[in-house]
Amino acid sequence: MRGNAGLATILLGLYAAQSVTGSMVQTALPVVLRDAGVPLDRIGFLSLLFLPWVFKMLWAPLVDRFASPRIWILSCQGLLCLCFLLAAAFSPVDGLASLTPVLFAMAAIAATQDIATDAAGIHATGPENRVLASGASTVGGYLGFLIGGGIWLWTYAQYGWVPSMMVLALVMLLLALPVAQLNLPAVPARRGEASLLRSLGNRTLLAGIGFLILWQAGIRLGGAMAGPMLVDAGLDLEAIAWLRGAGGMVVGLAAAVVGTFAVRRFGKVAVLVLAGALALASLAGLVWWSLRPGPVPVLAALQIALMSATAISFVALYAAMMDWCAPDQAATDFALLQSLDAAIAVVTGILAGQMAEAWGYAPVFALAGVFLLLALPFTRARLDRKAIAAPLPPLPATESPT
């Protein structure tokens, strides 16, 4: 495949593959466990399975230094396929203790593939078409969300655990096929010297971290208890699978496409402000519904609106994050940002579970809105910054690039 369309197609498939595992654990498995009567506070601790995404920055320099993104990606997808086959031996309800280490290994492998895919996207695009990579990331993420959160949940509800794992193993195998067509430009000369120390010398990268914490805390907290809330509202597994799977995919895909074109036309700042306003309105509605429960379709509409705002915001935010990264250690810089994002997901997931179990859902959505309100004033100052404005620490003259 050649050209922007071919590159976008390959990146879309790769981002879908790596998000399958996360979406299954984050959105579908909590629904299964809640349906089996597992308390909300225990479900919240599933967020600990995202620790590999939190700490992936520690081994990201290895992806920058050794082999090619293609080799890393193919190796990871092959291992994920094997992990899904292994996971078929353990039931999530009766054998959760045995299944957890397998899920943790899958998370570590998917996080490593994420590092390599992000590096491929950054190297293959420039500031003028970076939204192509961020758009593919968002659309691919929602495709993975459909597979891991919707199709998987429907398969599990219809046929059980083992067939659902077999389906995901086959999906991982099919999504690996286009990687053979992945062509990337030559890597920058200093790529072999990538390190977290140099990332910490990137002042633009550090300046964006405060904004990222506030923004993603609001987004992550707002969506953490969405699935269990639908169960408590009376929906069965099949209905939730269609709503959060097919419905979420259609809405997320449409929002990501709109967000991609909007960023190209109006810029990252305007699009993120618009997404923030939509998210705040959705969160306010969810607070109201939690305090005064009404028709379930209204709850579903509010959750879909929040999904739309999330998808639109990711296109703009991820394009800015890619701009903050130094070209010669793109995997390391971007992994640092995503590790922070994953840490936010872990903390907000646990916090949301504890708050919802103790006080109900309304305080969770209210706190999410507070975080977004605190982030909005800093949008222009942080999203318009470029990594080229932040010089990196010099390397010792005796070291040669690899």
Side-chain angles (χ1 to χ4, degrees):
M1 296 182 182
R2 294 185 178 182
N4 286 344
L7 175 63
T9 301
I10 294 173
L11 291 176
L12 188 150
L14 294 179
Y15 281 112
Q18 70 194 34
S19 68
V20 166
T21 303
S23 63
M24 184 195 76
V25 175
Q26 187 178 27
T27 65
L29 193 55
V31 172
V32 170
L33 295 176
R34 185 59 173 171
D35 187 65
V38 177
L40 289 173
D41 51 354
R42 285 188 59 193
I43 293 174
F45 278 103
L46 283 177
S47 297
L48 291 174
L49 292 174
F50 283 85
L51 286 177
W53 272 278
V54 176
F55 294 108
K56 69 178 185 177
M57 63 181 179
L58 298 179
W59 63 89
L62 299 178
V63 178
D64 265 326
R65 294 179 183 184
F66 303 109
S68 67
R70 182 189 292 114
I71 293 175
W72 281 102
I73 291 166
L74 287 174
S75 299
C76 289
Q77 288 198 221
L79 290 172
L80 282 173
C81 185
L82 293 176
C83 284
F84 280 121
L85 295 177
L86 179 60
F90 307 106
S91 165
V93 177
D94 300 324
L96 185 59
S98 299
L99 176 64
T100 300
V102 180
L103 295 175
F104 191 86
M106 291 164 60
I109 296 167
T112 304
Q113 180 185 336
D114 189 14
I115 297 169
T117 302
D118 290 329
I122 293 172
H123 286 307
T125 59
E128 71 284 350
N129 66 340
R130 188 126 291 156
V131 69
L132 181 71
S134 67
S137 171
T138 306
V139 174
Y142 275 94
L143 179 58
F145 178 85
L146 169 64
I147 298 169
I151 293 177
W152 178 83
L153 187 57
W154 181 87
T155 304
Y156 172 82
Q158 292 294 318
Y159 303 106
W161 177 254
V162 174
S164 68
M165 289 293 99
M166 297 296 181
V167 167
L168 291 186
L170 177 61
V171 166
M172 297 305 299
L173 182 62
L174 294 176
L175 290 176
L177 297 179
V179 182
Q181 303 296 319
L182 183 63
N183 295 314
L184 296 173
V187 297
R190 300 174 73 187
R191 174 178 178 257
E193 307 298 339
S195 70
L196 284 173
L197 182 61
R198 294 183 65 211
S199 294
L200 296 177
N202 185 336
R203 293 192 298 272
T204 298
L205 199 71
L206 297 181
I209 285 178
F211 175 81
L212 186 66
I213 290 174
L214 291 174
W215 187 272
Q216 289 298 82
I219 292 295
R220 299 293 189 189
L221 193 61
M225 288 287 110
M229 187 180 185
L230 291 173
V231 173
D232 290 345
L235 270 70
D236 58 28
L237 291 183
E238 243 183 293
I240 296 173
W242 281 107
L243 173 63
R244 293 185 57 78
M249 169 57 185
V250 171
V251 170
L253 175 61
V257 171
V258 169
T260 301
F261 283 103
V263 169
R264 291 177 66 91
R265 176 66 178 84
F266 302 107
K268 299 186 291 291
V269 174
V271 170
L272 202 65
V273 169
L274 176 63
L278 177 59
L280 285 170
S282 304
L283 290 169
L286 288 168
V287 170
W288 180 263
W289 199 98
S290 300
L291 296 173
R292 298 176 177 272
V296 173
V298 174
L299 172 62
L302 290 170
Q303 290 202 8
I304 287 175
L306 185 59
M307 291 181 195
S308 301
T310 300
I312 294 172
S313 72
F314 280 177
V315 175
L317 183 61
Y318 275 40
M321 290 165 60
M322 289 179 176
D323 285 342
W324 299 340
C325 298
D328 57 349
Q329 57 169 44
T332 305
D333 284 357
F334 202 80
L336 176 61
L337 292 170
Q338 286 201 312
S339 289
L340 175 63
D341 187 15
I344 295 169
V346 171
V347 172
T348 55
I350 295 173
L351 178 62
Q354 299 297 317
M355 290 179 65
E357 184 70 18
W359 303 305
Y361 293 107
V364 177
F365 298 122
L367 182 59
V370 169
F371 280 124
L372 286 178
L373 282 173
L374 292 174
L376 280 173
F378 300 100
T379 303
R380 180 173 298 278
R382 294 297 174 252
L383 264 68
D384 280 346
R385 301 187 63 154
K386 308 296 183 194
I388 55 175
L392 296 174
L395 295 172
T398 56
E399 297 183 2
S400 60
T402 57

